[in-house]
Amino acid sequence: MTLQLDFNVDRGSFGLEARLSLPSSGVTALFGRSGSGKTTLLRCIAGLERHPGHLSFQGEEWQSSRHCVPTHRRPLGYVFQEASLFPHLRVAQNLAYGFKRIPHQQRRIEWDEVVQLLGLEHLLARYPDEISGGQRQRVSLGRALLTSPHLLLMDEPLASLDATSKEEILPFLERLRDELELPIIYVSHSMEEVIRLADHMVLLDAGKVVAQGSLQALLTARELPFVRTETSSTVLDARVTNPEAEDGLTELEVAGQPLLVTRHSAPRGQQVRVRIMARDVGLALFPPEGISFLNCLRVTLLDSQPGVVPSQLLLRLALGEQVMLSRISRRSATHLQLQPGQTLYALIKGAALN
Amino acid sequence: MFELSDAALTALWITLKLATVSTLALLVLATPLAWWLAHTRWRGKVVIEALVALPLVMPPTVIGFYLLVLLGPRGWVGGFLESIGVGHLAFSFTGIVIGSMLFSVPFVVQPLQNAFAGASGRVLEVAATLRASPLDRFFSVTLPLSRRGFLTAGVLSFAHSLGEFGMILMIGGNIPGRTQVASISIYNYVETMNYSAAHSLSLVLVLSSFTLLMMVFALNRRFKVVGVA
């Protein structure tokens, strides 16, 4: 655990109480509705807002009752919702702003690396008002990375962008997560982004921490609202066993069982995540034959609960240590006489690698 | 006929010197005040803002009169300066510089305050997360983003000082070669029925002010291209 925080914000109508330990690697999503306190919490971590509390990062005290390290002395990068580039500086000068303030020996991320990773070569000589919103956000991300931060904070970096620009940036964020060993705290209210990027999740509601844990644990937790949405899904940890399987497929292994997905560029042996929607998972009592479903995983039924509509049930299935979801009709469940602990075969209609 | 006597040229020179010195000094001194006004949340700020705007509505002769009392040999400031052997400031060039500065305070503070307020908030937070200290942020972000404010402030103060009359007459008197500025010279020429000399000097003032303002509008347009997005 690398980031320990304990904040108590009281602003009259709005309050925030957060006591958290966040992991030292991967992407942690701060998830919640507007007004749940996500951004305030992020700003407290950055030191942009001062509220009573305690904060330490990798054993170093950033805030206590006695002192507070000012923002410019904290080794962090911050990406704001709007790109907020300096309007009087060209793209290259914007990128250089933080970079030149970092002593050479402390630079772990190099200029060319960032310019290449974010595809900024052709933008360097432009002014911020001459490039698109998506490009601006890429520059602002690059600008933050070039300070070689030990912690990257992102406040809904995609929220103000249109769908095309979002798709333009998401792959960069994924590469960032995979290629740089940098803990990232990512504020979002978009489930799509969280599922694509996050490893851990902190769920905030009305200024309180409702739950925290691995993405999979929260997505499949009985008591949390995620299982009761139309798009409820799980993410499974898998490993690539045959990237170039026949018929344009890639073969993965999940809990010792094979899983086929659409061809993906991930190399053999790489750990990947597969998103499976609850509505795409059917169940059988015996391994079926003569059906079109590509994937059939042996699972154990954990429990069931009412689905979004009265005619449906949501089932939680254990796959080794992992948990996946299936949504079936109440009638099918009665018909199959499903019991917790029972061994079942999960038929998966679509699995998306992410 | 257009003709400038040596006396008129001297008066012009003093006017120019007065406007330049008081504008530069005022820009330096007003910057921290404008910065503070743009950022403070102190409720008493309105008092300071009203004080800053006061020269706009006061008759120049009133400012001149109080300054004369204050800076003269028996005033608090003048008396103190006498006692340490520097000499009082009434009827001196330094005296009219101080008067001119005071007189132009609103013309400098208000554009700067607006500029600083516009160049704050998010961009400064961004700069802080990019390791810039508060002073560094001021020089690398606030100042460049406020250059139009500085231009406006500088020009307004300069042009305002070019034409000031009543206040300077009060504190500076009418001493040729020391405190006699162009506007006072014109008054003298008219008093002595020398209309052609008054015309020449007036024309110089009109043309120089016009050129100055035209330059500002041209520069402002150029800055806008790079301006705040």
Side-chain angles (χ1 to χ4, degrees):
Chain A
M1 291 296 164
T2 181
L3 187 77
Q4 312 258 0
L5 63 88
D6 185 356
F7 280 108
N8 221 316
V9 181
D10 184 8
R11 271 200 305 233
S13 58
F14 172 78
L16 171 69
E17 275 173 50
R19 177 184 291 236
L20 288 169
S21 290
L22 301 179
S24 59
S25 65
V27 177
T28 302
L30 296 183
F31 185 79
R33 274 181 286 218
S34 308
S36 58
K38 324 181 279 294
T39 297
T40 305
L41 188 56
L42 203 68
R43 291 173 60 82
C44 285
I45 295 173
L48 293 172
E49 267 180 47
R50 297 259 172 99
H51 296 288
H54 193 278
L55 174 68
S56 70
F57 176 72
Q58 290 176 344
E60 203 179 312
E61 208 157 66
W62 281 1
Q63 188 184 333
S64 69
S65 50
R66 278 167 290 119
H67 80 302
C68 184
V69 178
T71 301
H72 67 277
R73 298 228 178 84
R74 300 184 184 189
L76 51 83
Y78 199 115
V79 180
F80 291 85
Q81 184 171 337
E82 330 79 51
S84 314
L85 299 183
F86 299 120
H88 62 298
L89 299 179
R90 291 174 195 275
V91 167
Q93 295 168 307
N94 263 284
L95 290 172
Y97 190 93
F99 188 61
K100 66 183 187 198
R101 285 172 171 77
I102 303 295
H104 281 275
Q105 63 274 17
Q106 286 175 25
R107 288 181 189 162
R108 294 171 303 124
I109 298 175
E110 286 305 322
W111 181 272
D112 293 339
E113 205 180 339
V114 166
V115 169
Q116 205 180 353
L117 178 79
L118 296 170
L120 299 175
E121 296 90 348
H122 62 292
L123 301 176
L124 292 174
R126 309 257 195 98
Y127 277 102
D129 58 0
E130 298 167 352
I131 61 179
S132 76
Q135 290 170 331
R136 278 201 284 271
Q137 198 53 283
R138 257 153 60 196
V139 174
S140 120
L141 184 58
R143 186 175 62 175
L145 286 176
L146 280 168
T147 62
S148 298
H150 295 233
L151 173 68
L152 184 61
L153 307 173
M154 293 202 250
D155 185 7
E156 310 216 30
L158 305 182
S160 59
L161 300 178
D162 56 59
T164 323
S165 307
K166 264 184 204 164
E167 273 311 311
E168 177 188 311
I169 299 213
L170 267 168
F172 290 115
L173 295 179
E174 287 172 329
R175 280 175 66 185
L176 205 71
R177 174 194 65 195
D178 298 337
E179 291 176 20
L180 301 172
E181 284 182 13
L182 174 66
I184 298 174
I185 300 179
Y186 190 97
V187 162
S188 182
H189 67 260
S190 153
M191 201 64 218
E192 289 301 312
E193 287 169 31
V194 170
I195 284 179
R196 272 182 76 164
L197 296 171
D199 306 300
H200 316 274
M201 183 154 133
V202 174
L203 178 62
L204 287 163
D205 189 35
K208 296 236 167 24
V209 176
V210 178
Q212 62 166 316
S214 77
L215 181 61
Q216 190 190 88
L218 263 64
L219 287 179
T220 58
R222 262 183 84 82
E223 67 282 5
L224 295 182
F226 303 120
V227 293
R228 280 183 294 277
T229 62
E230 181 54 33
T231 54
S232 54
S233 58
T234 186
V235 285
L236 296 177
D237 292 318
R239 193 167 55 85
V240 178
T241 46
N242 184 4
E244 291 178 19
E246 285 169 20
D247 301 319
L249 297 168
T250 289
E251 191 183 301
L252 314 173
E253 184 208 288
V254 185
Q257 302 184 61
L259 182 71
L260 290 164
V261 295
T262 309
R263 179 73 53 87
H264 192 272
S265 58
R268 189 185 302 270
Q270 182 167 331
Q271 291 292 330
V272 291
R273 295 195 318 187
V274 188
R275 179 184 187 186
I276 298 174
M277 310 278 282
R279 62 168 178 239
D280 289 341
V281 179
L283 291 172
L285 293 176
F286 306 100
E289 280 171 22
I291 57 166
S292 68
F293 286 60
L294 269 182
N295 291 301
C296 175
L297 298 173
R298 213 175 108 101
V299 296
T300 309
L301 177 60
L302 290 171
D303 49 42
S304 70
Q305 60 180 304
V308 188
V309 290
S311 65
Q312 291 179 337
L313 284 180
L314 188 96
L315 311 181
R316 300 198 316 141
L317 311 164
L319 179 68
E321 301 279 289
Q322 308 196 55
V323 179
M324 58 188 284
L325 301 172
S326 165
R327 193 161 70 211
I328 60 170
S329 67
R330 200 177 278 272
R331 175 165 295 189
S332 309
T334 317
H335 182 67
L336 296 175
Q337 294 183 311
L338 297 179
Q339 296 295 331
Q342 193 174 358
T343 298
L344 294 168
Y345 294 85
L347 306 167
I348 298 163
K349 198 166 170 191
L353 244 183
N354 76 55
Chain B
M1 280 298 93
F2 184 81
E3 196 184 353
L4 291 172
S5 63
D6 282 353
L9 281 173
T10 308
L12 269 178
W13 167 240
I14 291 175
T15 310
L16 209 64
K17 204 165 67 164
L18 172 69
T20 310
V21 172
S22 59
T23 298
L24 290 179
L26 189 54
L27 281 176
V28 172
L29 292 179
T31 298
L33 176 64
W35 173 265
W36 178 80
L37 282 173
H39 289 95
T40 185
R41 289 190 194 144
W42 181 53
R43 282 191 196 160
K45 163 182 156 171
V46 285
V47 176
I48 309 294
E49 283 181 318
L51 274 176
V52 163
L54 205 55
L56 281 178
V57 293
M58 283 216 312
T61 42
V62 173
I63 303 181
F65 171 67
Y66 280 124
L67 275 176
L68 182 63
V69 171
L70 201 65
L71 301 181
R74 293 205 198 115
W76 288 345
V77 177
F80 169 74
L81 290 174
E82 286 277 288
S83 73
I84 59 168
V86 178
H88 70 88
L89 296 174
F91 313 120
S92 71
F93 182 72
T94 313
I96 59 173
V97 167
I98 293 174
S100 222
M101 284 169 64
L102 209 64
F103 193 45
S104 290
V105 160
F107 294 90
V108 171
V109 171
Q110 284 173 358
L112 288 186
Q113 186 182 340
N114 289 341
F116 290 157
S120 64
R122 183 48 52 83
V123 279
L124 291 182
E125 289 190 347
V126 171
T129 66
L130 295 169
R131 310 287 194 281
S133 66
L135 199 65
D136 187 352
R137 299 202 279 274
F138 180 76
F139 284 107
S140 63
V141 179
T142 307
L143 277 191
L145 287 180
S146 308
R147 56 190 167 188
R148 284 176 69 186
F150 275 93
L151 186 72
T152 310
V155 168
L156 285 179
S157 160
F158 191 88
H160 194 218
S161 304
L162 280 188
E164 178 37 25
F165 175 78
M167 186 271 302
I168 290 175
L169 195 61
M170 277 282 175
I171 170 110
N174 192 351
I175 307 168
R178 255 173 78 189
T179 62
Q180 194 186 77
V181 294
S183 59
I184 296 177
S185 283
I186 295 168
Y187 179 74
N188 289 340
Y189 286 138
V190 173
E191 285 278 274
T192 55
M193 302 298 278
N194 189 350
Y195 273 46
S196 92
H199 262 310
S200 302
L201 205 47
S202 298
L203 191 66
V204 172
L205 279 191
V206 169
L207 288 181
S208 55
S209 302
F210 179 69
T211 315
L212 196 66
L213 289 174
M214 214 164 60
M215 265 167 53
V216 174
F217 285 110
L219 274 176
N220 245 341
R221 255 176 73 176
R222 205 175 64 98
F223 277 171
K224 219 178 248 169
V225 178
V226 195
V228 182

